[in-house]
Amino acid sequence: MITPPLPPDAFAAYPDLEQLGRTATRLHPRPGAVTAADSHVGGPLLWPADEPWPTCGTPHMVREEVPIPVELVNRMRAAERGRRQPHVLAEGEVELHEEIAALVGPGFVGWGSRDGGPVVGFRYVPRPHPVPNPMVALAQLRASDVPDLPRPGGADLLQVLWCPFEHSEGPWGPTVRLRWRREAELTDLLAEPPRGEVGVDRYVPRPCRLHPEQVVEYPHPEELPADLRALAAEDEDYVGTFLAPGWKVGGYADWSLTDLCPTPCPRCAGPTTLTLVVDSSERGAGRWQPTRADGAPDLDAYEPTGVVVGRHGALRVFVCLRCPDVPFLLDQQ
């Protein structure tokens, strides 16, 4: 799987952009059988038999429904009908919304009905796992396969696990664990990991083989010098041209959703390095789009892992390569 090169005139409008290029490894996951010896998404891990399997004890978020009195619903709908403009709240509508939120309680996210049933308010509340929940293997990356994988302390293997429930600590979604290892030190291996409960099916990845490809990409406009930032801001194709979508290791982060956010190390507050992007889609556009041998779009390759993060977005893992325990920070776009 080869990404077509940039157009010959890609840098004509961006003086000095080329020198800001940074390599990233596109992982190109595709469904297929994998083993613990492979780099993969959703397959078995090279896990020491004498090392406890990671579990999650963080309370997960559960959606609850709270009945709303018919009288209050009628008042709210009457206020909505009184709107003079579609997106401008009618007089008293804000107060009624706040009244519903107070009735539903902490964690209120909205109100509505299912299939014409009674109107209810929706809220998310934390609920502890009955017992610590065994995590799911998300990915295993070998440095020999993935050239941009960091090697903290000489590690040549990264294992990523997460708890397949919604959590509110950090970005909304799974809790995450990283294990950095030296593959040569792994001998007596765990035959079968424990299985836990699954709260969200889209957090259980479909086993995928990886087809790593190293590419060069360039900063998001928010990270560019001021002169280039102004030029890129006027180019709606900039991000789609210079930043790789999909699962990748290294490179630059896409800040299209939130604008640039700080990513300090949670331990030393120093800078972190983008290490892994877990994306809901490989689709991309232009030269990044997966294609078949005949050049047509490969629709089957758009969502190969089955993983959906947030509102069809991406989870990014930033690691600190100075602290000895390699702390990390999560960001979701």
Side-chain angles (χ1 to χ4, degrees):
M1 297 174 187
I2 300 176
T3 301
L6 282 166
D9 60 348
F11 299 107
Y14 300 102
D16 302 323
L17 176 63
E18 190 169 7
Q19 66 187 16
L20 300 178
R22 179 185 294 174
T23 60
T25 302
R26 301 187 71 190
L27 297 181
H28 294 303
R30 299 292 185 269
V34 292
T35 71
D38 299 319
S39 291
H40 59 65
V41 168
L45 304 181
L46 292 169
W47 197 271
D50 61 353
E51 181 178 324
W53 187 264
T55 60
C56 176
T58 303
H60 58 284
M61 305 304 291
V62 177
R63 194 169 91 157
E64 294 184 343
E65 298 181 356
V66 178
I68 298 176
V70 173
E71 180 273 335
L72 182 54
V73 172
N74 291 338
R75 288 164 54 204
M76 189 66 176
R77 287 176 171 167
E80 289 178 340
R81 290 194 296 270
R83 290 180 184 176
R84 301 193 177 197
Q85 298 181 46
H87 302 293
V88 179
L89 297 182
E91 184 178 354
E93 195 172 350
V94 172
E95 290 78 4
L96 286 169
H97 186 84
E98 292 174 348
E99 189 175 342
I100 293 175
L103 173 68
V104 175
F108 171 72
V109 293
W111 61 287
S113 64
R114 295 174 182 267
D115 301 323
V119 176
V120 297
F122 304 114
R123 67 180 182 187
Y124 279 92
V125 296
R127 180 177 297 170
H129 295 285
V131 296
N133 194 47
M135 291 186 156
V136 168
L138 177 65
Q140 177 170 272
L141 305 175
R142 303 169 69 240
S144 57
D145 298 324
V146 183
D148 286 288
L149 187 70
R151 302 187 61 161
D156 59 2
L157 182 72
L158 171 61
Q159 296 168 331
V160 186
L161 305 95
W162 67 11
C163 178
F165 281 82
E166 304 286 16
H167 302 78
S168 62
E169 292 190 6
W172 183 277
T175 54
V176 176
R177 298 288 183 275
L178 305 183
R179 288 290 187 275
W180 297 91
R181 304 188 187 279
R182 294 184 179 90
E183 189 172 348
E185 297 175 355
L186 301 175
T187 52
D188 185 19
L189 300 176
L190 182 67
E192 187 71 27
R195 295 185 180 276
E197 297 296 322
V198 173
V200 182
D201 289 341
R202 66 179 182 274
Y203 293 153
V204 179
R206 182 182 302 125
C208 286
R209 299 188 65 83
L210 303 183
H211 303 81
E213 177 201 17
Q214 193 173 47
V215 298
V216 178
E217 57 179 16
Y218 301 86
H220 185 273
E222 294 282 337
E223 297 191 75
L224 289 171
D227 55 339
L228 291 177
R229 189 184 315 135
L231 293 172
E234 298 175 357
D235 182 359
E236 61 183 22
D237 296 325
Y238 176 90
V239 171
T241 300
F242 293 105
L243 273 169
W247 286 64
K248 68 180 180 181
V249 169
Y252 286 102
D254 183 349
W255 297 103
S256 297
L257 182 63
T258 64
D259 294 335
L260 182 63
C261 296
T263 57
C265 169
R267 193 88 68 247
C268 71
T272 54
T273 299
L274 177 63
T275 295
L276 175 64
V277 175
V278 177
D279 209 331
S280 300
S281 173
E282 298 292 307
R283 181 170 183 171
R287 69 191 187 106
W288 306 114
Q289 187 176 49
T291 56
R292 303 196 309 252
D294 61 2
D298 186 355
L299 303 182
D300 292 335
Y302 281 179
E303 298 177 4
T305 68
V307 170
V308 178
V309 178
R311 297 183 177 180
H312 218 80
L315 180 71
R316 294 94 69 81
V317 182
F318 295 83
V319 304
C320 177
L321 299 175
R322 287 168 305 283
C323 293
D325 56 345
V326 201
F328 64 93
L329 177 76
L330 302 178
D331 175 85
Q332 188 169 290
Q333 293 285 302

